Amino acid sequence: MKYLTKLAAVSAFALSAVAANAQDVDPNTVVATVNGTEITLGHMIITRAQLPQQYAQLPADVLYDGILEQLIQQQLLADELTDVPARALIALENEERSIKAGERIAAISADLVTDEAIQAAYDEMFADVTPAQEYNASHILVETEEEAVAVQDRANAGEDFAELAMELSTGPSGPNGGSLGWFGQGMMVQPFEAAVMEMEAGEVSGPVQTQFGWHIIKLNEVRDQALPSLEELRPEIAGQIEETVVTEYLTSLEEGADITRIEAGTIDPEALSNIDLLEQ
C-alpha cells in the first residue's frame, strides 16, 4: 500500500460515482479491466479488509483510489510473469488451503457456537459452584491486650464503633472509622481472618492478636461473592466450544479419510529453514 501515501489529494470522483449508483453495485461489479482481466469491487473489498490498521484508518476516498491503483499495478506486474516460480505456486496452494479451511471452521462455528450452547456451558460451569463469601468489617488496632479489652467493653456498652476507631485505633483505617471494606478469604492475615469467619454480622469480637498488634473487630455484613457474568465469560466460553467442536469434527474427518504420512525421520526437520530448496 505504499502508493496510498501520494493519493491524499486525489479527487473522490470515482468513489462518488460508485456511491451514486450504490443500488446497482454488487461484489461482481467490474471497477477496472487490465488487458482484458477484470478487477471487481469484490477484489477491492477483500484488499480493504486485509489492510494494516494504519491504512484502514484513511478516508474512504483515499482508500478507494489507492486500492484500485494497487490492484491495477499488481495485475500489470502479474501479466509480465510468464514463468511462475515454484515458491509462488506453493504459496498459492497454501493460501487456498488456509482460506478454505478457515471458511469451513467459520461455518462449523456458526452452526454450533450458538447463544444457546454458550448459555448451557455457562450454566454447567457454575451448576455445582457454591459462591465464596465476602466480609465487610471494621477494626480497632491497639498495642496491648488490656487496651483491646477496654475497647471491647466500650463497644459492647453501646458506644459507636466508628467513633471509637477514630479515637483509639493506631491503624491506618482509624480515621475512616476502622472500615476495612469488603474482602474475601485469603486477603487478611491470620488469626484475624479466622476470627472474622467465625463471627455473625453485627458482632464485636474479643481481642485478636496479629503481628500488627491487638484488634477488636466488628463484622458489619456478609455476602456471597458475585460469580462472573455470562457476558464477561462469553468470549472464553465461545472459544472453548469452538475448539471442542472443531477438534471433534477434525477427528471424525481424519477417521474417515485416506491419509498417509512419510515415515518419521525420513526428512531432517532443519530442511524447513532451507528456502533455497524451492529454487531448485
Side-chain angles (χ1 to χ4, degrees):
M1 292 301 294
K2 62 182 180 180
Y3 307 105
L4 285 176
T5 58
K6 62 183 180 181
L7 291 171
V10 173
S11 168
F13 174 78
L15 181 61
S16 299
V18 171
N21 297 284
Q23 66 273 20
D24 301 321
V25 174
D26 63 45
N28 296 317
T29 300
V30 176
V31 294
T33 59
V34 180
N35 295 325
T37 299
E38 295 180 345
I39 297 174
T40 68
L41 179 62
H43 293 133
M44 296 184 69
I45 291 172
I46 289 296
T47 302
R48 165 66 176 80
Q50 295 173 336
L51 286 178
Q53 189 61 35
Q54 66 266 30
Y55 292 120
Q57 295 175 348
L58 289 171
D61 57 337
V62 175
L63 284 173
Y64 183 94
D65 290 322
I67 289 171
L68 182 56
E69 183 69 14
Q70 175 177 288
L71 291 176
I72 289 172
Q73 292 177 350
Q74 285 178 344
Q75 189 60 53
L76 287 169
L77 292 169
D79 288 343
E80 289 292 303
L81 186 65
T82 56
D83 186 14
V84 182
R87 65 178 181 276
L89 293 173
I90 293 171
L92 288 170
E93 291 172 357
N94 275 352
E95 188 70 11
E96 180 180 8
R97 181 185 300 114
S98 176
I99 291 173
K100 287 181 176 179
E103 289 294 319
R104 190 68 191 107
I105 287 175
I108 296 168
S109 298
D111 290 339
L112 299 177
V113 186
T114 61
D115 288 341
E116 293 76 13
I118 293 173
Q119 181 68 61
Y122 176 83
D123 293 341
E124 182 179 357
M125 184 181 296
F126 295 106
D128 299 321
V129 173
T130 300
Q133 288 193 312
E134 292 181 316
Y135 307 90
N136 185 294
S138 302
H139 79 134
I140 298 172
L141 178 64
V142 292
E143 294 182 357
T144 67
E145 184 176 10
E146 291 75 14
E147 290 176 293
V149 171
V151 170
Q152 179 188 14
D153 290 342
R154 291 178 63 178
N156 288 336
E159 291 193 49
D160 184 79
F161 195 89
E163 292 182 2
L164 285 174
M166 289 187 282
E167 176 189 346
L168 302 172
S169 183
T170 62
S173 65
N176 294 324
S179 176
L180 297 171
W182 288 99
F183 55 90
Q185 188 172 355
M187 296 178 65
M188 293 295 175
V189 297
Q190 295 293 350
F192 188 102
E193 180 181 280
V196 168
M197 295 180 67
E198 293 295 324
M199 296 170 65
E200 299 290 336
E203 183 180 352
V204 174
S205 74
V208 177
Q209 186 180 25
T210 71
Q211 64 265 44
F212 301 107
W214 290 86
H215 308 259
I216 296 298
I217 307 166
K218 181 180 180 181
L219 180 59
N220 302 313
E221 191 176 352
V222 180
R223 69 183 182 189
D224 288 338
Q225 197 171 52
L227 297 174
S229 70
L230 174 62
E231 290 310 308
E232 289 175 315
L233 296 180
R234 179 179 294 275
E236 176 184 340
I237 295 174
Q240 291 172 348
I241 296 174
E242 180 177 76
E243 181 178 354
T244 299
V245 298
V246 170
T247 299
E248 291 175 351
Y249 186 75
L250 281 171
T251 299
S252 68
L253 287 180
E254 290 184 8
E255 290 174 349
D258 182 11
I259 301 173
T260 59
R261 293 180 173 85
I262 193 171
E263 184 178 350
T266 302
I267 295 178
D268 182 355
E270 292 295 330
L272 293 179
S273 303
N274 189 358
I275 193 68
D276 292 337
L277 287 173
L278 300 182
E279 303 297 337
Q280 297 176 4

